[in-house]
Amino acid sequence: MQKTETEKNIKEAPLHWSEHREEAAGYWQLKFLLILFWSLPVVVLGIIAFPVGFFYFLFSRRGRTESSRFLQKAALLVDDPKLEKKCRSRFGPLRHIISFSLSVLEKLQAWGGKFSFNDIYFQDDDIKELISGLEAGKGAILLFSHLGNAMLLQGLLNLGRTGVSRKIPVTAIMDMKVNPNFSRILNELNPRANMELIFPEDIGSQTAVLLEERIASGGLVLSAADRTSVDGRNIMIPFLGKEAPFSYGIFYLMSLLKAPVYFVFGLRRGDLSIKPKYNMHVHKSPLSFDCQRSERIKRTSLLAFSFVELLEKYSKAHPFQWYNFHDFWMERDNGA
């Protein structure tokens, strides 16, 4: 049987960054952080995040290596000369890792109810259409990335801080095994979380039916779209000058739901701000998936490419908020 063009672009990938557990503190170190979170003012914790990031920089060789790898790629494409200089600087990885340290604190703030919805600034994009649909009781799909702070936005959704007058049921496809200690701390931080979770390894033939029901009830379905597939079916898409693997399966699953798809990016205005304010960018995909299967496969590929196009755009504008400290392009696997 002759393969379609989309299937030719999909290939089995060797062991990739999303299959490795993230380097992170152990449970008791994070538990101590949680105690500090409840005991100290947020500004003080923001100051503490700087030495924490510095020690991570010193002792995480992989963090330094992958940060440098990414920043050197970004430096070739950023438009701002000052930003390019920061990316090329020998201190660029330190700045990058401290930015990540601050983002961890902001995740705790969001899940613990200490992050103000007033510090989220919606842009003049498709946010009005999204809110209008939610107010009318219609569900939608939100695709995030590991650029910026998706979990901060998920935390706000979990607490009902959406700007919408009704309580919105949220279902998230989330890999809790990548960093199980941090996931456990978030559960302790908010044990009555309203967000229903689906683990990638549990996705099966009935998942689309379940998610369709959630959307039909006016809910939101959330997923990161810059992870590789659990079964290894990845579509190779140009990203920052070189092809990188993205999960074909997650985009195809979303296409089965026949619901509006929005790409969402939450980006801190200042990379190293201890009083963070975030710009929220919301882009609706113009694609419709109420079509025949052959056409759906083609549109799924277009959905993936359009997401990565936006991911690249915002990565070039905010390279120090790229929080994937892994061999994203599998360069070591390919002998690069």
Side-chain angles (χ1 to χ4, degrees), residues 63-129:
R64 295 193 305 271
T65 300
E66 300 306 337
S67 171
S68 179
R69 185 194 301 271
F70 173 79
L71 292 176
Q72 293 307 310
K73 280 183 168 60
L76 298 172
L77 299 169
V78 297
D79 298 323
D80 185 346
K82 292 182 180 179
L83 188 57
E84 178 189 358
K85 186 176 180 179
K86 290 178 182 178
C87 289
R88 295 188 185 279
S89 169
R90 61 185 296 185
F91 298 108
L94 175 59
R95 181 186 183 91
H96 193 184
I97 291 171
I98 290 176
S99 175
F100 171 69
S101 182
L102 288 167
S103 77
V104 172
L105 171 61
E106 291 154 10
K107 292 173 185 177
L108 294 178
Q109 287 179 253
W111 283 79
K114 289 188 176 183
F115 197 97
S116 173
F117 186 74
N118 293 329
D119 290 329
I120 301 289
Y121 293 83
F122 296 102
Q123 305 304 295
D124 187 19
D125 45 33
D126 295 320
I127 183 62
K128 293 181 181 178
E129 184 171 351

Side-chain angles (χ1 to χ4, degrees), residues 230-250:
V230 172
D231 61 10
R233 287 187 81 220
N234 300 307
I235 181 169
M236 303 302 292
I237 302 177
F239 177 61
L240 293 180
K242 186 175 181 179
E243 286 194 337
F246 292 83
S247 171
Y248 178 81
I250 195 63

Side-chain angles (χ1 to χ4, degrees), residues 142 144 153-162 168 170 220 222:
L142 304 186
F144 294 95
L153 299 177
Q154 290 173 6
L156 294 174
L157 286 170
N158 178 57
L159 294 174
R161 299 181 179 182
T162 60
I168 302 172
V170 178
L220 286 172
L222 279 57

Side-chain angles (χ1 to χ4, degrees), residues 215-226:
I215 290 174
S217 65
L220 286 172
V221 172
L222 279 57
S223 178
D226 59 345

Side-chain angles (χ1 to χ4, degrees), residues 264-283:
V264 181
F265 298 88
L267 300 162
R268 194 188 304 115
R269 286 185 172 183
D271 292 326
L272 303 182
S273 174
I274 61 174
K275 293 183 178 180
K277 297 183 184 299
Y278 271 77
N279 289 334
M280 186 191 290
H281 303 269
V282 178
H283 301 273

Side-chain angles (χ1 to χ4, degrees), residues 6 16 80 169 177 198 225 230 238 244 253 289 293 303 323 329:
T6 298
H16 188 244
D80 185 346
K177 295 188 300 182
I198 294 176
V230 172
L253 176 61
F289 293 97
R293 183 179 182 277
L303 183 69
Y323 302 136
W329 289 265

